């Protein structure tokens, strides 16, 4: 199963959610790959720590080979590295992604990620794709390569209004390029059950019939520590409330 975590809005929790759900699956023994398509490389750093500074070949280097056409392209596995966590591999991001973006777009490389992930066959049980905060070449590539789309939502009313446009964009990609793509659901992040406004905003989504997933993820300062130490929550504090919410969300997605 390949999932893309997407929202054009920045800072809604895409990288946090991708990395933590991926780490939970890997911890359960599922062979897991995280593909980081955001030049900021937040998921790469979160899962690999300082190793990201070693100039690892990753998503940018993969896309670069698609621009330098040769009959024998390197295998996708050459752009994947192991993380410190068992069963968890990463195709890391780098700032080069930014530089390559316009070339990739103008040369119609939009199906290359899907081809590359197909080439991996059944090496991985779960693939998670983290995306930049934009509807650009990389997010489109990811939406074309994936079977399911998760949309993190930060409980803000402007974000709520933007969701309809976002869902239309996903539907358009689905209709034009990827019939297999399903919107799996909206992941409510940094939910504050005692604050009236966010509660009402989320309820409006539910009332409008949008696929809002359970449970909602709490806001917790522990996430900051988790990022700083490059330790996903399941490894940092398995009993923490937010960890348990991530686990419950993972189980809901996997149908457990
Ligand atoms: N549940 C949470 N509780 C507290 N802080 C959170 C939570 N989820 C995310 N954050 C914080 O919010 C910030 C943005 O999160 P994150 O980087 O995951 O978002 P993003 O959507 O990937 O951002 P970008 O669009 O820049 O890639 C980070 O500082 C992160 O630590
Ligand atoms: Mg991010």
């Amino acid at each position: 199963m390949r999932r893309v975590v997407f929202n054009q809005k920045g800072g809604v929790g895409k990288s946090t959610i991708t990395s933590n759900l991926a780490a939970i699956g890997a911890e359960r023994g599922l062979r897991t790959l995280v593909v980081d398509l955001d030049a900021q490389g937040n998921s790469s750093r979160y899962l690999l720590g300082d190793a990201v500074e070693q100039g690892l070949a990753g998503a940018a280097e993969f896309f670069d080979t698609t621009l330098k056409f040769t009959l024998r392209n390197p295998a996708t596995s050459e752009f994947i590295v192991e993380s410190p966590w068992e069963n968890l591999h990463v195709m890391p991001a780098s700032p080069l992604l930014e530089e390559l973006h316009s070339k990739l777009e103008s040369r119609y490389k939009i199906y290359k990620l899907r081809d590359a992930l197909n080439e991996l066959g059944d090496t991985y049980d779960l693939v998670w794709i983290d995306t930049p905060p934009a509807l650009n070449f990389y997010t489109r590539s990811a939406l074309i390569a994936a079977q399911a789309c998760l949309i993190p939502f930060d409980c803000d009313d402007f974000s709520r209004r933007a969701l309809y446009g976002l869902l239309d964009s996903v539907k358009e990609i689905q209709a034009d390029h990827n019939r297999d793509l399903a919107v799996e659901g909206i992941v409510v992040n940094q939910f504050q059950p005692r604050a009236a406004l966010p509660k009402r905003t989320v309820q409006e989504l539910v009332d409008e019939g949008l696929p809002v997933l359970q449970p909602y993820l709490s806001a917790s300062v522990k996430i900051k520590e988790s990022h700083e130490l490059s330790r996903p929550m399941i490894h940092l504090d398995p009993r923490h409330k937010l960890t348990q919410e991530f686990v419950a969300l993972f189980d809901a997605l996997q149908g457990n």
Side-chain angles (χ1 to χ4, degrees):
M1 166 64 109
R2 287 183 210 156
R3 290 198 176 92
V4 53
V5 182
F6 168 60
N7 191 326
Q8 280 145 275
K9 189 173 181 210
V12 294
K14 293 180 286 295
S15 303
T16 302
I17 291 165
T18 306
S19 299
N20 278 289
L21 294 178
I24 288 165
E27 206 258 345
R28 296 265 179 91
L30 297 173
R31 294 161 304 162
T32 301
L33 172 66
V34 171
V35 177
D36 187 357
L37 296 183
D38 185 359
Q40 299 176 95
N42 293 340
S43 284
S44 306
R45 172 161 289 280
Y46 193 10
L47 297 174
L48 299 173
D50 291 340
V52 285
E53 274 146 39
Q54 292 166 13
L56 306 165
E61 290 70 21
F62 156 70
F63 279 113
D64 201 27
T65 62
T66 71
L67 292 168
K68 297 174 182 143
F69 180 79
T70 56
L71 282 177
R72 275 182 57 85
N73 277 325
T76 308
S77 57
E78 292 187 28
F79 306 101
I80 293 172
V81 296
E82 288 182 9
S83 79
W85 320 106
E86 203 178 344
N87 301 313
L88 184 54
H89 293 183
V90 180
M91 183 186 276
S94 77
L96 178 65
L97 282 168
E98 195 76 62
E99 231 173 278
L100 294 176
H101 184 269
S102 59
K103 282 188 214 161
L104 289 163
E105 188 143 58
S106 64
R107 290 177 54 190
Y108 308 106
K109 301 293 182 181
I110 203 79
Y111 297 106
K112 291 295 179 185
L113 179 69
R114 176 165 77 185
D115 295 347
L117 295 179
N118 282 345
E119 186 206 300
L120 292 170
D122 58 5
T123 312
Y124 295 101
D125 300 308
L126 281 178
V127 177
W128 299 86
I129 312 175
D130 186 20
T131 55
L135 184 59
N136 64 10
F137 170 85
Y138 296 118
T139 37
R140 286 198 179 88
S141 291
L143 288 162
I144 288 172
Q147 288 136 2
C149 175
L150 288 181
I151 302 169
F153 175 67
D154 61 0
C155 307
D156 172 85
D157 196 52
F158 284 117
S159 305
R160 184 184 70 80
R161 291 164 206 269
L163 272 181
Y164 298 94
L166 190 155
L167 289 167
D168 282 346
S169 307
V170 174
K171 278 188 206 133
E172 189 180 342
I173 288 174
Q174 182 188 44
D176 291 350
H177 303 281
N178 183 7
R179 297 275 171 193
D180 293 339
L181 179 66
V183 174
E184 212 168 8
I186 294 164
V187 179
V188 175
N189 190 26
Q190 303 217 41
F191 185 67
Q192 293 167 316
R194 278 178 289 274
L197 197 61
K199 226 165 113 181
R200 201 163 62 228
T201 306
V202 173
Q203 193 54 45
E204 269 165 6
L205 294 181
V206 174
D207 293 346
E208 282 156 1
L210 294 187
V212 180
L213 294 166
Q214 295 275 358
Y216 304 162
L217 302 172
S218 316
S220 167
V221 287
K222 198 83 184 170
I223 276 289
K224 196 166 183 287
E225 188 186 341
S226 174
H227 279 278
E228 276 169 12
L229 297 175
S230 290
R231 285 184 85 86
M233 289 296 288
I234 191 75
H235 298 294
L236 180 69
D237 191 347
R239 289 183 213 281
H240 193 279
K241 180 167 182 268
L242 179 56
T243 312
Q244 292 305 313
E245 290 163 355
F246 275 126
V247 168
L249 178 62
F250 180 87
D251 284 338
L253 291 172
Q254 293 296 107
N256 295 335

